[in-house]
Amino acid sequence: MNITSRRRTPHRSEDAERFDLAALLPPPPVPGLDPDRERLLKVALLRKATSAESTGGLGSRVPRPRRRLVRVMVPAVACALAVGGVVVVNLPDTSGRGSGAVADGRTRSVPEAVQLLDRIALAAGDGKQPSVRADQFVYIESRVAYAGQSAWGGPVTMPPAHTRQVWLAADGSRPGLLREEGEPDSLLGADGPVGHLDGRGATPRPGTLDGGPSIDNPTHEYVASLPTDPDALLKLIRDETRGEGRGADQRAFTAIGDLLAETWAPPKVGAALYKAAAKIPGVTVVRAATDASGREGVAVARTAHGQQTQWVFDRTTYAFLGERTVLTEAGDAGPAGTVVGTSAVLAKAAVDRAGDKPVPTTA
């Protein structure tokens, strides 16, 4: 007699049956995090990412050679998502390249510079909102050094770094001030203030004779009004810097660097600037770079016309530290690797008058 055997199902308890039935029901809704809890989670994830990198990711210190560049050849892909109040950070794999999911379940490489800029944008978006009144000045103090070359050519000479202080009227209605160590003070926008009439019989309002604020001539109010959508912001930057030479991508990268160094952007605008930079082709990572005050960090960089511009960031907080420009090709000015410009941002604050120093805060 042909008998077909089958595995016998053991007797199941009522609790097990209820568990199976419960599994068929949709999952209960998960409440979103309140803003304070979400901010704490972001900080914790950033710290975790920094700790993970100490074993070989972006934050790891590498031996000389001093610069290790990773070429970026594809458009930016965001790797930090906020889903249901939970922040998910896509960390790099052990090779440092990282990966991102695609619709068909496969993975694709995510450029290292994009991952780094996404983390920097996340940290910037959690920064403190600058409190600047329209009648105040934005004060920025930095250390800078720029190489000089004689009229007859030859290798450039890098002087010691010196203090640079800038006061810029928040609304652009009054002249600013530039003070550099060893140099006489210079007025900025000295063609004003002037009175503008909005109509016959109107009360004159303060202003200047220039064409108004722009990416190349920003005021604090202008920077605060910039788009927070990275695509719209990058388009605006490209449009306003068109025709200035150096190539569209390098112009955009340079303009963003200038805004980072000598303006005080609100958190959402700052985050958008970094995300816009991630969309510029040719952006790379330099794993070890030093600013003008000697602070060592990781850098986002772009090379054009024989020079590499580096934005240096703190490895732990991802705060912007400063910039550095390095020759990438040997020439009359010097060998490849020669530093021809460096800066370090030391302070940003709001003051009432040009020439005033911010009042030190006490612990």
Side-chain angles (χ1 to χ4, degrees), residues 133-153:
R133 300 193 311 268
D135 63 342
Q136 288 186 304
F137 288 79
V138 172
Y139 168 80
I140 299 175
E141 180 178 343
S142 56
R143 296 280 293 173
V144 301
Y146 301 105
Q149 188 176 38
S150 72
W152 296 273

Side-chain angles (χ1 to χ4, degrees), residues 171-189:
D171 62 0
S173 64
R174 289 151 296 155
L177 178 66
L178 169 64
R179 180 173 294 165
E180 295 206 48
E181 188 178 334
E183 299 288 339
D185 290 356
S186 299
L187 289 179
L188 303 176

Side-chain angles (χ1 to χ4, degrees), residues 30 32 36 72 80 97 124 150 173 251 261 277 310:
V30 179
D36 290 337
V72 178
R97 290 191 309 245
S150 72
S173 64
R251 288 199 305 268
Q310 303 172 358

Side-chain angles (χ1 to χ4, degrees), residues 17 129-130 141 207 249 280 294-295 318 348:
E17 291 179 355
Q129 177 78 21
E141 180 178 343
D249 292 331
I280 300 175
R295 297 175 297 189
Y318 297 115
K348 293 185 178 182

Side-chain angles (χ1 to χ4, degrees), residues 269-289:
V269 174
L273 286 169
Y274 293 122
K275 291 180 180 180
K279 297 177 178 292
I280 300 175
V283 179
T284 60
V285 170
V286 179
R287 292 175 181 259

Side-chain angles (χ1 to χ4, degrees), residues 49-119:
T50 303
S51 175
E53 288 168 355
S54 63
T55 61
L58 289 176
S60 60
R61 295 175 183 267
V62 298
R64 299 301 189 187
R66 177 178 48 178
R67 300 182 309 281
R68 182 178 178 185
L69 305 182
V70 180
R71 180 69 62 181
V72 178
M73 300 301 292
V74 298
V77 179
C79 65
L81 304 175
V83 182
V86 178
V87 178
V88 181
V89 178
N90 183 18
L91 298 175
D93 59 17
T94 56
S95 68
R97 290 191 309 245
S99 63
V102 293
D104 59 5
R106 296 176 298 171
T107 60
R108 63 186 176 192
S109 176
V110 176
E112 189 176 17
V114 175
Q115 292 186 335
L116 177 57
L117 283 165
D118 276 336
R119 295 179 196 176

